[in-house]
Amino acid sequence: MPRGLTQDAGWEIGVSRTLPLPMAAVWEFIASPEGVALWLGEGVRLPTAKGELYETGDGIAGEVRSYRPGDRVRLTYGTSTLQVAVSASGEGRAVLRFHQERLADAEERERQRAHWKAVMVEVSDALGVA
């Protein structure tokens, strides 16, 4: 099976980075209006109730599948599913992860890999992490 193709979730991509910040600080930023603007789009309010709908300025619509404050949000993102998670990684460090599954094909996977890598750079810059 090609890299990035799973039996259950189709094509998927994951981008993660360990940040030298406490988990709570990373979550607080990623769930804030400033953080949400970087990964979901400018002016989008992060929905927190299961089934709650949203739409980005780019026309991507979806709904919340689950929301666990301080931990992760899972939502549909157009025809795919996106999860943004924060986990502890030792004293004063956290791992931020973007995971997207149910992508159409290998080309979309590569486009989304580039997208989430760029988002990770923006988030890191906004957090003051070089």
Side-chain angles (χ1 to χ4, degrees):
M1 199 175 293
R3 183 180 183 114
L5 180 60
T6 68
Q7 188 171 357
D8 298 330
W11 290 94
E12 65 180 8
I13 184 62
V15 173
S16 65
R17 180 160 183 200
T18 301
L19 303 166
L21 298 166
M23 184 178 159
V26 174
W27 177 263
E28 186 176 302
F29 177 77
I30 210 70
S32 73
E34 182 185 1
V36 171
L38 295 179
W39 65 270
L40 200 50
E42 193 68 43
V44 179
R45 184 186 63 77
L46 179 63
T48 59
K50 185 175 181 176
E52 196 172 351
L53 303 175
Y54 74 92
E55 185 170 349
T56 71
D58 296 335
I60 297 170
E63 73 175 68
V64 173
R65 296 295 182 176
S66 66
Y67 182 86
R68 295 189 342 215
D71 182 41
R72 71 189 65 228
V73 60
R74 187 169 173 84
L75 40 86
T76 60
Y77 187 79
T79 58
S80 66
T81 302
L82 174 64
Q83 179 172 281
V84 180
V86 179
S87 59
S89 178
E91 188 67 32
R93 295 185 318 169
V95 177
L96 174 61
R97 291 182 176 86
F98 294 99
H99 182 265
Q100 191 174 6
E101 59 191 37
R102 304 201 184 289
L103 299 169
D105 52 32
E107 290 80 24
E108 184 180 20
R109 180 180 186 269
E110 288 309 309
R111 277 193 311 275
Q112 291 307 103
R113 174 198 302 278
H115 171 75
W116 294 117
K117 282 184 168 187
V119 168
M120 189 66 78
V121 169
E122 291 181 41
V123 168
S124 298
D125 288 349
L127 288 168
V129 177

